[in-house]
Amino acid sequence: MGAGKRSLVATAVGLVCAVTVLGGAGAAFASPAPTPTPTPTATPTPSVTLPPNKDLEAVQKRLEKLYHDAAVATDAYNAAEERSERQSAEIVELAREIVKGQKRLAQLKDRAGAAARAQYRSGGLPPTARLWLSDDPQAWLEGVSLIRQGEKATTGLLAEMTRTQQDLQLYAQDASAQWTKLEASRKARAAAQKQIEQQIAAAENLESQLQKEEKERLAELEREAAAKAQTSWLGSGVIDDTDGSTTAQAEKAVQFATAQTGKPYEWGAEGPGTYDCSGLTSAAWAAAGVTIPRTSQQQWDQLPHVDIEDMRPGDLIVYFDDASHIAMYVGEGKMVHAPRPGRTVTIAGAGSMKILGVVRPGA
């Protein structure tokens, strides 16, 4: 989490603590402390034993599975992070409304107190009693009008005090509910983070058991598999009729994304120095003035879908059945993406992985 995000959460925590001391006119508001929820069960670290005879194709499949699972957990982490930010902002806004309500209630109480003190200074008799004791007919008529105005003002004052107290109660309840949701999001984020770290550690442990020559051969196998998939995809003719035209916004997004090549992959990162896959695509489109969802699964679910045959530069290509990876199409059958831990942002064949579909931001 960046410093700005940590500051937002810290501000929310500080402001919502004010809810615990809210009170007035005999009413006390509940603390927003969340109801304890069970701690997520720890995910066991996957096996990292090399397959028999160091079968590199089996190693490749195992690594793909580990990094894929890390990508799925990264999406879960990013979604929980996004929820935490939104819930923190809502708590901050509720706390501000509570502070405003407290000030308004204090003002209303001051007005009511002033009226009570004025009556005390007049001898303690209510205005109606003083009116009937008056011998001046003109004063009596004027007094009737004033009493009616005073009764109306008093009724309005009491009604406004009641409404303000009710609003404060609702704000406090909403803050408590949002606080509970925030704690749940934090726990989900922590569980996803643990899952990511375990999967990446297992993959790195597995790779560390290989000799230099074996690592080189493994990398070659990966390149061969990607090239084979790309050749087959292009050979299908699926993009033969695409015209390569695009919009000014999409062009800006492509320029931004391709300018990030060479920067390291880091799960949960949105730039500017490191990125994960959806962090790169969301940052690129943000640079073009378009806000899109944060995670690859959200981008797949929420953005307009287009046929692969109609794909144009700037569109986002979603990979695998669970939408766990995403890249940006840059034209001529290529895409730019942040592949996985240990790799950098790079341009590769758009068909080098299993395509789920294509979405178009800014449509």
Side-chain angles (χ1 to χ4, degrees):
M1 180 189 295
K5 297 175 184 174
R6 284 194 296 269
S7 176
L8 174 60
V9 174
T11 301
V13 171
L15 282 175
V16 81
C17 285
V19 181
T20 63
V21 295
L22 286 179
F29 301 115
S31 165
T35 302
T37 54
T39 302
T41 304
T43 304
T45 302
S47 171
V48 293
T49 305
L50 282 172
N53 303 318
K54 289 188 178 180
D55 182 345
L56 292 181
E57 290 187 359
V59 171
Q60 181 186 4
K61 286 185 172 60
R62 190 171 296 179
L63 285 172
E64 287 177 353
K65 177 68 165 59
L66 289 168
Y67 282 122
H68 171 270
D69 290 347
V72 173
T74 297
D75 245 21
Y77 175 91
N78 289 335
E81 175 83 349
E82 191 174 45
R83 287 195 302 272
S84 294
E85 292 176 19
R86 183 174 63 252
Q87 289 152 359
S88 296
E90 289 171 357
I91 290 172
V92 169
E93 188 57 36
L94 285 167
R96 287 172 179 157
E97 291 298 326
I98 287 168
V99 171
K100 285 164 58 178
Q102 284 180 305
K103 290 180 179 178
R104 180 59 181 159
L105 189 58
Q107 291 171 351
L108 293 171
K109 286 180 179 180
D110 285 345
R111 285 171 54 188
R117 289 191 296 273
Q119 182 172 323
Y120 177 80
R121 286 194 298 269
S122 67
L125 290 174
T128 305
R130 294 199 307 273
L131 179 62
W132 286 107
L133 293 175
S134 173
D135 295 329
D136 186 342
Q138 182 62 34
W140 189 89
L141 291 173
E142 293 174 353
V144 170
S145 176
L146 290 173
I147 287 173
R148 287 175 178 172
Q149 292 177 23
E151 288 175 345
K152 185 177 180 180
T154 301
T155 301
L157 176 62
L158 293 175
E160 188 171 357
M161 286 179 67
T162 300
R163 285 196 304 271
T164 302
Q165 287 176 309
Q166 291 172 342
D167 288 344
L168 283 169
Q169 181 71 48
L170 290 174
Y171 289 144
Q173 291 171 352
D174 288 346
S176 179
Q178 288 300 329
W179 188 261
T180 301
K181 292 178 182 179
L182 176 60
E183 287 299 299
S185 295
R186 285 174 174 168
K187 289 184 177 181
R189 187 180 61 197
Q193 178 175 345
K194 189 167 187 177
Q195 172 78 356
I196 295 165
E197 291 171 346
Q198 288 176 336
Q199 298 294 329
I200 294 174
E204 291 174 344
N205 192 339
L206 184 59
E207 289 180 297
S208 71
Q209 298 176 52
L210 299 173
Q211 301 298 319
K212 179 181 178 182
E213 296 78 9
E214 292 168 332
K215 292 179 180 179
E216 291 173 351
R217 177 55 186 154
L218 181 63
E220 181 61 27
L221 286 174
E222 291 177 1
R223 287 192 292 270
E224 289 175 358
K228 182 179 179 180
Q230 174 74 355
T231 299
S232 174
W233 183 67
L234 291 174
S236 69
V238 68
I239 62 169
D240 286 352
D241 295 329
T242 56
D243 60 14
S245 62
T246 190
T247 65
Q249 281 186 318
E251 187 175 345
K252 286 181 181 179
V254 169
Q255 289 174 350
F256 180 94
T258 54
Q260 310 313 307
T261 55
K263 293 184 178 180
Y265 176 102
E266 181 184 5
W267 62 265
E270 303 173 70
T274 57
Y275 296 90
D276 63 18
C277 65
S278 57
L280 176 65
T281 54
S282 57
W285 271 98
V290 178
T291 299
I292 65 174
R294 172 62 180 89
T295 74
S296 60
Q297 293 172 347
Q298 291 169 340
Q299 290 171 13
W300 170 244
D301 288 340
Q302 299 177 31
L303 294 176
H305 290 209
V306 296
D307 293 334
I308 295 178
E309 294 85 349
D310 298 326
M311 185 167 57
R312 66 191 187 195
D315 288 347
L316 305 181
I317 308 175
V318 185
Y319 294 94
F320 308 120
D321 292 339
D322 54 6
S324 57
H325 189 67
I326 196 162
M328 179 177 289
Y329 186 61
V330 297
E332 299 182 352
K334 298 178 181 179
M335 54 83 164
V336 58
H337 70 146
R340 64 168 175 81
R343 302 289 173 82
T344 61
V345 176
T346 188
I347 295 176
S352 57
M353 296 176 288
K354 182 181 178 181
I355 296 177
L356 176 62
V358 179
V359 294
R360 178 168 294 164

